[in-house]
Amino acid sequence: MNKLIFLCLLSFLPISKIAGQSISGIILEKEYSGTLDEILLNIGEDHNLNFIFDKEKIIKYKTSFYALYDDKLKLGDIFKVLSNSWDLIVSIDKDGQIYIAESKQAIKELKGEVKSKRLDVKPDKSDFTITGIIKDITNGERIPFATVYIENTQIGTMSNEDGQFTLLHVPSDTSTMIISYIGYKTKVIYLNPEIQISKMEINLSISAVELDEVIVIGQKENLLAKPFGTISTIKMSPKNLSILPNMGNKDVLRSLQLMPGISAANENSSGLYIRGGTPDQNLILYDGFTVYHVDHLYGFFSAFNSNAIKDVQLFKGGFEAKYGGRLSSVTEIISKDGNAQKFSAGGDISLLSMGAFAEIPINKNLSSMLAFRRSYRGPIYDKIFDQMQSESETINTGMPNRFATEAESYFYDLNAKLTYKPNDKDIYSFSFFNGTDNLDKSPKFDMPDFMQGTGRGFDLDISDLTRYGNIGSSIKWSRNWNSRLYSNTLFSFSNYYSERNRTTERVITEEDGTELSINEGVIEDNNLIDFSLKTNAEYKLTQNQNLEMGYFMTYYDIDYLYTQNDTNSIVDRNDNSILAGVYLQDKIQLFQNKMAITPGIRASYFSNTDKPYFEPRLAAYFKLSKKLTFNAATGMYYQFANRVVREDILSGSNDFWILSDGVSIPVSSAIHYTAGLNFDLPNYLFSIEAYYKDIKDITEYSMRYESSFRTIEYEENFYSGSGYAKGIEILAQKKFGKLNGWISYTLGEARSIYDHYGDSYFPSYQDVRHEFKTVALYKLGNFDLSATWIYATGRPYTAPEGAYKVTLLDGTEESYYTVGIKNGLRLPDYNRLDLAVSYKLDMFNNKDNGNISFSIFNVYNRKNIWYKEFQIVEDEILETDVNYLGITPNLSLTVKF
Amino acid sequence: MQNLKYNILLVLSILLLNACENTEQYGFDSKVIVEAYLMPDKPASISISKLIPFNSELYSDTTNISELTIEFSDGTNIYSLTNYGDSLFADSSLIIADDNFYSISFKYGDDDVFATTSIPEKPQNCGQSVSSITMPEFGGPGMGSLPEPVEISWEMQDGYYYLIVVENTSSNPTVINEMDWTDEDRPKPVFRNEPIQDNSYKIETRQLAYYGTYRIIIYSLFPDYAVLYQNSGTNSQNLTGIESNVENGLGIFTGVNSDTLFLSVN
């Protein structure tokens, strides 16, 4: 039977509640419009009714139901329309289930399928394979990494990144199949001998109403989750992000920071500090290409627009051989394909930015998605920008200040995707992303025309401009060759750019028209280009053995230029290199799937060092009981491209990417050891994980030990060291219910050792001893209330040992500091409470029209210290605290139609 | 009950870990600051001072500077400098010659402080594009144009840095265009560039905000001095110390040489 059975398993409320009244007499208190399946779904949700129908058969009917004059619209009226206008048959059984189909035979089929299990139909087949695709019912979006398993067995799998799955060795065709994914209702399908077992299409719906605790299955939506049977992995669906408090935008990376092991106490970095690692040690893949820079506006926001994102997976450590090139972790972001069924669009506005998004089905096989967001000089942007502006040193322009006017500054991002599905087997997609910040602090001058009538001109152009961002694109071909073999091939391009211009240009035009240009100041320019080609393939050797293999090839071209006063180039470097390799891993399930081990190896060749690198990996999973699992993983990790942060936060983004050369910048490496226990109850999750990372050959850039003031050799400023990070993470989560959320605690330590700082370990900048985070979410009708509280030990910092003054040759006095032990002191502990209330908009009888939310960041206006400023006044060193943001309210509105 | 026990144990161990954490503090070694520019034909003069402590509770430096014995060597003889007041040590009879090596050494606490330098050559063939400029009348109708930049040139030598200091010789100079400047942004009568490795420097006439005669000093310098222009940062995230050529101490002990030009602004 080539059709999909749609089960509207909305409610298992006691049927007695319905039995006492006529179903046809139920009064519908509002209008319902849309396609018939949507209308029935909405009525079902509103009145706790179970409609059972074949979606494909009724999706063609589109209408609106509303009451005329003062009459009340009854469900029976709708049944009459179905019967009279469209010849549909409505049948209500004794359990109150409502079947809708085009013929009596079809009704029987529907009833047969639903009740196959209950009627004890004899199984026809055993040990067979089911293949299918999992989609979002509202827009046809394919759902990656959803869990599919057979109830009461160990047989299960996960959909791949294209939403496809293969379930081998299904014991019988009367089994119960369960499909779940965070943010969506869990779906139960009772198999029967007639059900289609290949290319099954399973549609999941987003939970729109929270149901009572008596619900046995269905309705389980979650914001962030630790997938069952995985280690150090966090999944997030951005669909429900708007219910969390936010500073200006709902932000996927900020939300991940609420989980254990990921530091939340740095407001100026949306890049992730994971398990004592730095943001550049976290690989960020967006639709397969690497994103090298994720910050907007000094790092207070991330460059990823959640309206464009379908799925986020974070691997905190011990990750698979499929991923490489980073020491710490992997964040994989998959963007939406776009609504394949109908046009949808929307927009949002907050006190920080405004944006619009659209999902456009071009034809049956081609869908598209477009999302754009741009900041405006609203209260939040100005608050952060002004804070940075006031802290930064001002350029001495040599011009009277009364000529100065205000400069323009903004960020924007753009996401676009085109997906083409010519047949059941192939998917082609093209994805594009660009996030750019333009931070312009240049004083602009309205120059009086001194030289009017003289024929000579004078022009002054003072720049204090920082422009950075990432542009990336990928073309991907995925193919489901057969039920066992799946592959995807991706060609991608990524470009990170950072331009910093703090110069004064004077142009003098002579009477004869010749121009003389004089440039003073500093120009910094970093440009990284990454072309990559990779293929990943998955082959299900047996039900218990899943092979994954692939190759990858990346060409890097990185330029870094640092010039002073036009000609004096301090650093001018152009590097290019090829990183290429293969990987292979085998997931082997043993002892009736009670244990799984995944050995893997990644072998790379890096042309800059002309050396091969081998990274063995091993992950293991043991099911100690039905609810208790033990996971462990270890592996070797290499990093070839490094981001070097210049220690000057006031200049905005002046970090730069460089390639290892094996000499002054060695290839860094890390060994991960991680182990954990998960106790997974239907509504609760308790998890504890421990990790240890041994890190070698990390590089730091410093001008501190410069031997003399001369043209600096690039290599001289790099220092290599090593370090370690260790910790324990604890998570207790209430997954479902009106009140849900989690509490997390991380005990961590990250220390480094560099020869030039001495012969002992010192705390790394990202070292946080204790971090406690709690998230509480409460649902009240259309309102979602949420609260997050964060507490973290203060970060280490370097304080001066003392200060002194030297009189220069022109008679001016300059102050200098002597620096104490690296990171020898700690800032006070960080803590913050954020609150939010979000109201789900419910217009045009549509359940997902967006929301309006109000949130307060840092409710009790805690003055968390960002860094310390030092000043020498009358033979004393004065220390001033520069704080992070105080109380910041935000109002945002998202509208979808 | 068992679970409760574990929970209590967990909470207790977290508290214990918290309590055991070391308060990371540290004491400081005392350091002395030396400041000396040795110029040909001028007497030897050195300033010695103490470090301003960040945390005076953790830092003690009881050395009495005026009691220090500063030994000054011209490569042939060793002299003991006389203390003139708090921090100044000098010998008016000891005139710096431009072809000697000089060094100082003294004991400061437990440290043997030592520094050495020579005298760089005087900038050669110094010249200027004009010796006099006339500024236009500002404020009235038909404002004139600013004169072209004044170019100062010299013969560059390898390894040297050059610093230009421009100062108005009048103690109370007259401002050229009062209307253009507020008290805060008016240029000072003295200004300078950062040390450069070049053979010329252009003085923007816009920088000359006063009438009168300007003294233009062209210094030839060693890299030891140029380091002083490196930004040592002002906050806990960018703080860096700068290199000193004084062993076991801080500051600068260097020879400098110079030539002087004059510019008249009417």
Side-chain angles (χ1 to χ4, degrees):
Chain A
M1 196 188 294
N2 187 14
K3 66 181 174 190
L4 169 82
I5 302 307
F6 181 83
L7 291 178
C8 185
L9 284 166
L10 276 171
S11 164
F12 277 75
L13 272 180
I15 297 302
S16 56
K17 194 177 166 187
I18 301 165
Q21 54 181 288
S22 153
I23 286 177
S24 298
I26 290 174
I27 294 167
L28 307 177
E29 282 158 357
K30 56 185 184 186
E31 294 178 14
Y32 291 91
S33 347
T35 55
L36 184 56
D37 60 309
E38 287 172 353
I39 291 172
L40 295 175
L41 179 71
N42 290 330
I43 295 173
E45 283 178 351
D46 290 348
H47 296 276
N48 296 318
L49 295 171
N50 293 341
F51 287 98
I52 297 161
F53 50 82
D54 179 346
K55 186 184 161 193
E56 282 186 2
K57 292 273 160 56
I58 66 164
I59 198 167
K60 59 189 172 192
Y61 303 113
K62 201 173 177 183
T63 188
S64 293
F65 290 109
Y66 53 91
L68 282 173
Y69 308 109
D70 290 336
D71 286 349
K72 288 188 170 157
L73 177 67
K74 290 178 184 163
L75 191 55
D77 300 332
I78 291 180
F79 292 161
K80 278 182 200 163
V81 173
L82 301 189
S83 163
N84 297 340
S85 306
W86 298 326
D87 292 333
L88 291 172
I89 293 170
V90 178
S91 166
I92 304 169
D93 74 2
K94 61 180 171 44
D95 294 332
Q97 315 227 46
I98 308 159
Y99 298 86
I100 294 166
E102 288 172 309
S103 66
K104 282 185 182 173
Q105 182 57 31
I107 293 278
K108 276 182 191 168
E109 283 175 9
L110 284 176
K111 287 184 176 175
E113 282 173 3
V114 172
K115 295 187 176 176
S116 61
K117 190 180 177 219
R118 294 176 197 163
L119 292 172
D120 199 20
V121 171
K122 283 188 182 171
D124 224 21
K125 292 190 283 295
S126 62
D127 196 16
F128 62 98
T129 299
I130 295 180
T131 62
I133 186 162
I134 302 168
K135 291 182 174 178
D136 180 325
I137 192 171
T138 57
N139 53 24
E141 190 81 46
R142 292 163 293 135
I143 299 176
F145 315 120
T147 308
V148 184
Y149 64 97
I150 300 295
E151 195 178 45
N152 298 324
T153 71
Q154 303 291 336
I155 296 163
T157 188
M158 206 178 250
S159 62
N160 63 27
E161 57 199 82
D162 292 314
Q164 294 153 334
F165 71 92
T166 299
L167 202 56
L168 297 175
H169 302 295
V170 177
S172 89
D173 52 8
T174 56
S175 309
T176 304
M177 189 163 82
I178 296 170
I179 305 98
S180 66
Y181 183 70
I182 55 161
Y184 289 79
K185 295 169 196 168
T186 298
K187 183 156 191 169
V188 180
I189 293 179
Y190 300 114
L191 302 178
N192 68 73
E194 291 177 23
I195 205 164
Q196 177 190 343
I197 57 166
S198 76
K199 296 174 191 167
M200 182 185 270
E201 188 174 311
I202 297 165
N203 289 292
L204 298 186
S205 54
I206 305 159
S207 182
V209 281
E210 192 70 30
L211 295 173
D212 295 339
E213 292 297 315
V214 294
I215 302 308
V216 181
I217 47 172
Q219 315 316 317
K220 298 204 169 178
E221 63 174 302
N222 204 348
L223 190 67
L224 285 155
K226 271 175 66 69
F228 190 70
T230 60
I231 188 159
S232 308
T233 306
I234 296 169
K235 279 179 69 66
M236 189 178 69
S237 165
K239 280 187 182 300
N240 293 321
L241 270 191
S242 56
I243 62 175
L244 280 179
N246 63 71
M247 205 197 305
N249 281 324
K250 45 189 177 182
D251 195 319
V252 285
L253 297 186
R254 286 279 172 212
S255 308
L256 286 171
Q257 292 178 0
L258 295 169
M259 293 302 270
I262 308 162
S263 180
N266 29 278
E267 293 171 22
N268 63 316
S269 172
S270 53
L272 303 176
Y273 288 91
I274 298 170
R275 292 185 171 173
T278 52
D280 71 308
Q281 292 170 2
N282 174 33
L283 174 67
I284 296 198
L285 292 170
Y286 178 90
D287 282 343
F289 61 81
T290 306
V291 177
Y292 290 88
H293 192 86
V294 298
D295 289 344
H296 268 330
L297 192 58
Y298 303 102
F300 282 84
F301 309 98
S302 87
F304 298 113
N305 182 346
S306 59
N307 289 324
I309 295 169
K310 177 160 70 175
D311 179 84
V312 179
Q313 284 207 110
L314 172 65
F315 305 96
K316 290 191 283 183
F319 48 89
E320 313 181 330
K322 183 177 166 184
Y323 304 107
R326 289 293 190 278
L327 293 186
S328 172
S329 48
V330 177
T331 308
E332 179 153 36
I333 299 170
I334 295 178
S335 73
K336 288 178 184 171
D337 294 342
N339 194 328
Q341 294 163 2
K342 60 174 187 180
F343 173 80
S344 69
D348 50 18
I349 183 163
S350 70
L351 297 185
L352 174 75
S353 67
M354 54 177 97
F357 50 92
E359 298 181 34
I360 312 155
I362 296 167
N363 62 37
K364 203 170 78 152
N365 301 325
L366 190 61
S367 65
S368 65
M369 180 278 294
L370 193 68
F372 180 74
R373 181 172 64 159
R374 190 189 192 278
S375 69
Y376 65 95
R377 295 297 293 263
I380 294 181
Y381 193 100
D382 275 351
K383 187 171 184 175
I384 296 166
F385 187 76
D386 291 348
Q387 183 171 351
M388 300 303 296
Q389 181 106 309
S390 63
E391 297 304 335
S392 73
E393 53 204 283
T394 49
I395 297 180
N396 180 12
T397 61
M399 284 302 296
N401 284 337
R402 64 192 168 87
F403 296 139
T405 59
E406 199 170 313
E408 200 195 4
S409 200
Y410 59 87
F411 67 74
Y412 71 84
D413 46 64
L414 173 70
N415 305 67
K417 195 170 184 181
L418 207 57
T419 307
Y420 177 57
K421 287 174 250 183
N423 52 49
D424 288 340
K425 289 186 182 296
D426 298 293
I427 301 167
Y428 299 90
S429 62
F430 167 76
S431 176
F432 176 84
F433 162 78
N434 180 11
T436 296
D437 270 64
N438 200 64
L439 297 166
D440 191 351
K441 292 193 275 180
S442 315
K444 295 274 186 277
F445 292 98
D446 189 9
M447 290 285 292
D449 192 358
F450 290 122
M451 308 179 186
Q452 208 169 18
T454 62
R456 296 181 71 231
F458 173 71
D459 202 5
L460 179 68
D461 187 5
I462 296 165
S463 304
D464 184 3
L465 181 70
T466 304
R467 186 173 171 274
Y468 59 81
N470 206 111
I471 188 165
S473 183
S474 65
I475 297 169
K476 188 173 137 189
W477 168 48
S478 313
R479 185 171 168 85
N480 215 11
W481 298 88
N482 53 47
S483 62
R484 289 178 183 273
L485 180 64
Y486 162 82
S487 75
N488 66 58
T489 299
L490 183 121
F491 177 68
S492 68
F493 162 78
S494 184
N495 174 212
Y496 161 69
Y497 43 88
S498 167
E499 296 156 20
R500 175 118 191 87
N501 183 340
R502 279 171 68 85
T503 55
T504 304
E505 187 186 17
R506 298 183 180 88
V507 181
I508 297 161
T509 315
E510 300 294 344
E511 284 169 38
D512 60 4
T514 55
E515 282 191 350
L516 172 70
S517 166
I518 304 153
N519 249 317
E520 284 174 1
V522 174
I523 292 178
E524 230 181 321
D525 195 348
N526 186 206
N527 197 56
L528 178 153
I529 289 172
D530 158 342
F531 285 105
S532 293
L533 176 69
K534 56 188 170 192
T535 293
N536 301 312
E538 281 178 48
Y539 184 69
K540 273 192 197 300
L541 208 58
T542 66
Q543 172 62 29
N544 298 324
Q545 222 172 332
N546 197 27
L547 273 177
E548 282 191 54
M549 67 211 91
Y551 67 84
F552 51 91
M553 201 185 300
T554 299
Y555 170 76
Y556 293 105
D557 186 348
I558 304 184
D559 293 344
Y560 180 65
L561 178 73
Y562 185 98
T563 56
Q564 251 180 346
N565 302 339
D566 251 355
T567 48
N568 192 2
S569 133
I570 294 180
V571 182
D572 183 3
R573 200 167 163 103
N574 182 319
D575 289 312
N576 49 57
S577 186
I578 288 173
L579 176 68
V582 291
Y583 76 89
L584 175 69
Q585 75 171 36
D586 189 8
K587 186 173 183 183
I588 307 157
Q589 290 177 314
L590 303 161
F591 311 121
Q592 294 174 319
N593 298 342
K594 284 193 173 145
M595 180 181 170
I597 54 166
T598 312
I601 179 112
R602 187 177 174 92
S604 320
Y605 167 78
F606 185 57
S607 68
N608 244 14
T609 55
D610 195 19
K611 278 185 189 162
Y613 296 86
F614 297 99
E615 297 163 82
R617 314 267 171 95
L618 180 67
Y621 155 81
F622 307 91
K623 193 164 185 179
L624 302 173
S625 77
K626 208 170 174 183
K627 290 171 181 136
L628 188 65
T629 54
F630 172 76
N631 294 283
T634 182
M636 178 87 189
Y637 301 85
Y638 284 107
Q639 182 156 346
F640 306 93
N642 311 276
R643 189 179 70 154
V644 174
V645 180
R646 292 273 304 280
E647 292 178 331
D648 186 1
I649 51 143
L650 298 178
S651 315
S653 164
N654 60 349
D655 44 3
F656 55 94
W657 282 88
I658 44 157
L659 284 175
S660 298
D661 58 10
V663 186
S664 58
I665 309 155
V667 172
S668 43
S669 66
I671 301 175
H672 292 194
Y673 304 94
T674 174
L677 276 173
N678 276 330
F679 187 56
D680 207 344
L681 296 168
N683 285 319
Y684 293 92
L685 170 75
F686 299 95
S687 154
I688 179 163
E689 280 189 18
Y691 64 88
Y692 181 84
K693 277 196 278 196
D694 188 12
I695 306 156
K696 293 220 159 43
D697 297 323
I698 41 177
T699 302
E700 191 185 85
Y701 182 91
S702 174
M703 305 268 280
R704 179 172 168 169
Y705 285 79
E706 200 173 301
S707 54
S708 65
F709 195 88
R710 60 192 155 78
T711 304
I712 303 152
E713 291 301 323
Y714 173 76
E715 287 77 11
E716 288 176 34
N717 295 323
F718 292 97
Y719 301 94
S720 291
S722 55
Y724 67 86
K726 61 182 180 183
I728 296 170
E729 300 164 359
I730 298 167
L731 175 72
Q733 185 182 18
K734 182 172 186 290
K735 295 188 280 190
F736 311 109
K738 276 191 171 172
L739 175 68
N740 63 74
W742 63 89
I743 295 169
S744 82
Y745 168 73
T746 310
L747 173 69
E749 184 178 61
R751 293 172 82 84
S752 311
I753 184 166
Y754 286 83
D755 286 346
H756 70 288
Y757 289 124
D759 54 5
S760 55
Y761 279 91
F762 61 86
S764 306
Y765 167 70
Q766 65 273 17
D767 179 48
V768 173
R769 190 73 64 251
H770 307 283
E771 188 158 315
F772 178 85
K773 289 171 279 201
T774 179
V775 176
L777 309 164
Y778 187 74
K779 194 160 186 64
L780 198 68
N782 272 5
F783 286 97
D784 284 293
L785 311 174
S786 65
T788 60
W789 188 69
I790 296 161
Y791 164 84
T793 310
R795 296 240 165 166
Y797 74 99
T798 307
E801 200 173 61
Y804 60 98
K805 291 178 179 177
V806 171
T807 305
L808 300 178
L809 287 167
D810 60 359
T812 55
E813 258 193 350
E814 277 291 331
S815 301
Y816 304 95
Y817 294 94
T818 58
V819 179
I821 297 168
K822 174 86 173 168
N823 289 338
L825 295 178
R826 270 187 198 271
L827 296 172
D829 293 346
Y830 181 100
N831 62 76
R832 193 184 88 213
L833 172 72
D834 303 338
L835 295 174
V837 55
S838 171
Y839 179 77
K840 208 166 269 181
L841 297 176
D842 186 1
M843 301 178 291
F844 320 118
N845 202 25
N846 189 331
K847 285 288 176 192
D848 191 16
N849 281 128
N851 57 70
I852 181 161
S853 69
F854 175 69
S855 68
I856 305 175
F857 177 87
N858 197 358
V859 172
Y860 50 83
N861 201 22
R862 159 87 181 174
K863 294 201 175 347
N864 289 307
I865 298 177
W866 180 358
Y867 61 89
K868 301 228 176 211
E869 188 78 40
F870 304 106
Q871 209 183 350
I872 305 165
V873 178
E874 292 176 355
D875 290 348
E876 260 191 75
I877 301 176
L878 294 186
E879 186 183 66
T880 318
D881 295 337
V882 177
N883 296 326
Y884 277 128
L885 289 184
I887 184 168
T888 311
N890 181 40
L891 189 65
S892 63
L893 170 72
T894 303
V895 179
K896 295 183 215 171
F897 59 88
Chain B
M1 198 59 200
Q2 195 71 10
N3 280 346
L4 185 67
K5 275 183 193 169
Y6 283 126
N7 285 340
I8 291 168
L9 272 176
L10 179 70
V11 169
L12 281 179
S13 42
I14 290 168
L15 290 174
L16 277 172
L17 280 166
N18 207 0
C20 292
E21 197 180 330
N22 291 328
T23 310
E24 290 165 69
Q25 280 192 335
Y26 49 89
F28 303 129
D29 295 332
S30 57
K31 282 259 171 81
V32 64
I33 323 300
V34 174
E35 210 177 321
Y37 302 116
L38 305 182
M39 299 183 192
D41 307 326
K42 299 267 172 69
S45 158
I46 293 165
S47 168
I48 306 286
S49 57
K50 289 184 179 184
L51 193 70
I52 303 165
F54 175 57
N55 186 340
S56 49
E57 287 170 14
L58 296 172
Y59 181 91
S60 66
D61 183 354
T62 52
T63 312
N64 188 344
I65 285 182
S66 60
E67 290 173 1
L68 292 175
T69 306
I70 311 291
E71 293 189 330
F72 185 92
S73 161
D74 61 5
T76 315
N77 301 307
I78 296 172
Y79 308 87
S80 190
L81 300 181
T82 312
N83 177 252
Y84 292 86
D86 288 347
S87 62
L88 186 67
F89 290 81
D91 187 336
S92 55
S93 63
L94 188 61
I95 303 299
I96 303 297
D98 56 13
D99 53 357
N100 282 350
F101 279 94
Y102 294 96
S103 64
I104 49 160
S105 63
F106 60 97
K107 192 100 178 155
Y108 192 85
D110 295 332
D111 291 333
D112 289 318
V113 182
F114 177 77
T116 182
T117 188
S118 59
I119 308 297
E121 276 183 39
K122 191 172 180 159
Q124 300 295 306
N125 299 323
C126 294
Q128 60 199 103
S129 57
V130 287
S131 59
S132 163
I133 56 168
T134 303
M135 299 301 267
E137 289 288 327
F138 289 96
M143 293 189 297
S145 60
L146 280 170
E148 289 180 26
V150 179
E151 184 167 349
I152 308 298
S153 60
W154 59 89
E155 204 171 276
M156 191 180 81
Q157 292 212 34
D158 282 351
Y160 283 8
Y161 278 81
Y162 296 90
L163 173 78
I164 315 299
V165 177
V166 183
E167 58 182 333
N168 195 298
T169 53
S170 166
S171 58
N172 189 20
T174 309
V175 180
I176 293 174
N177 185 14
E178 188 70 55
M179 298 281 288
D180 260 2
W181 311 102
T182 61
D183 285 347
E184 291 80 40
D185 62 23
R186 180 187 299 126
K188 294 196 172 78
V190 182
F191 59 89
R192 48 136 166 116
N193 67 334
E194 288 195 356
I196 52 171
Q197 284 185 309
D198 210 338
N199 59 6
S200 68
Y201 178 73
K202 283 196 176 80
I203 300 169
E204 289 293 327
T205 47
R206 187 175 43 79
Q207 293 174 284
L208 304 166
Y210 301 87
Y211 291 113
T213 303
Y214 282 84
R215 184 187 294 123
I216 301 166
I217 310 166
I218 305 154
Y219 287 101
S220 51
L221 308 158
F222 290 127
D224 301 334
Y225 176 81
V227 168
L228 295 174
Y229 289 75
Q230 188 185 307
N231 187 357
S232 82
T234 58
N235 67 63
S236 58
Q237 299 203 356
N238 69 357
L239 211 59
T240 50
I242 62 162
E243 186 88 346
S244 171
N245 71 337
V246 179
E247 276 180 36
N248 295 322
L250 299 162
I252 180 85
F253 179 78
T254 189
V256 296
N257 215 329
S258 65
D259 200 354
T260 306
L261 303 169
F262 290 92
L263 174 71
S264 173
V265 177
N266 305 306

